[in-house]
Amino acid sequence: MPLSEHEQRMLEQMERALYAEDPKFASALEGSGLRTYTRRRVYQAVAGFLVGIALLMAGMVAQLIWVSVVGFLVMLGCAVLAVTGWRKAPKPGEHPTGAVRRPVRATRSMMDRIEERWQRRRDEQQGR
């Protein structure tokens, strides 16, 4: 069962207070498994991107179009992996499980703001 917005805010305040009081202890509790994994994934994607460039150039020099196409596809796939890995990586001082929940909560709050604006506009139009 997901936490309510109030509970999520309270949890975030407690996390911030913990980081403010004892950042060393808080970072030890946080763990770095997910951050290390995503960082490694980004580095691998960058290396793969460079291999894709090499394949693209080799295909052009050898005039083998299929090698160039494979190189381009490798570059494209690695670029996608790097960008998604970079976005998923938790920031220092951020709880790894919070990184998974944040986009959903941010989307909800954005939708709440949109609904509030819509409601205000409707109220303003009805009041005129």
Side-chain angles (χ1 to χ4, degrees), residues 25-55:
F25 176 68
S27 63
L29 286 178
E30 170 186 280
S32 61
L34 182 62
R35 189 170 45 222
T36 303
Y37 170 75
T38 53
R39 187 180 306 141
R40 186 180 313 129
R41 182 177 170 188
V42 169
Y43 290 151
Q44 289 172 346
V46 168
F49 188 84
L50 295 175
V51 169
I53 289 175
L55 283 172

Side-chain angles (χ1 to χ4, degrees), residues 1-127:
M1 180 171 166
L3 298 175
S4 69
E5 282 190 40
H6 175 69
E7 291 170 333
Q8 289 173 352
R9 278 182 280 173
M10 293 295 292
L11 181 62
E12 286 177 359
Q13 289 175 354
M14 289 169 40
E15 287 177 355
R16 277 188 248 129
L18 178 62
Y19 279 108
E21 288 178 20
D22 194 358
K24 190 174 182 180
F25 176 68
S27 63
L29 286 178
E30 170 186 280
S32 61
L34 182 62
R35 189 170 45 222
T36 303
Y37 170 75
T38 53
R39 187 180 306 141
R40 186 180 313 129
R41 182 177 170 188
V42 169
Y43 290 151
Q44 289 172 346
V46 168
F49 188 84
L50 295 175
V51 169
I53 289 175
L55 283 172
L56 182 75
M57 293 301 203
M60 291 178 70
V61 169
Q63 294 184 354
L64 297 171
I65 303 239
W66 66 272
V67 174
S68 295
V69 170
V70 168
F72 175 77
L73 292 175
V74 168
M75 289 170 50
L76 183 65
C78 289
V80 168
L81 281 176
V83 169
T84 58
W86 188 265
R87 287 184 181 168
K88 288 182 182 178
K91 312 291 185 278
E94 182 180 41
H95 198 276
T97 58
V100 175
R101 282 186 271 139
R102 284 179 199 265
V104 174
R105 187 174 63 242
T107 303
R108 267 193 218 138
S109 65
M110 181 184 73
M111 291 303 293
D112 290 341
R113 288 194 309 260
I114 290 172
E115 288 176 9
E116 287 173 14
R117 288 179 189 163
W118 180 260
Q119 189 64 33
R120 266 188 271 138
R121 287 180 187 155
R122 286 181 52 194
D123 292 343
E124 288 174 1
Q125 288 177 354
Q126 289 176 357

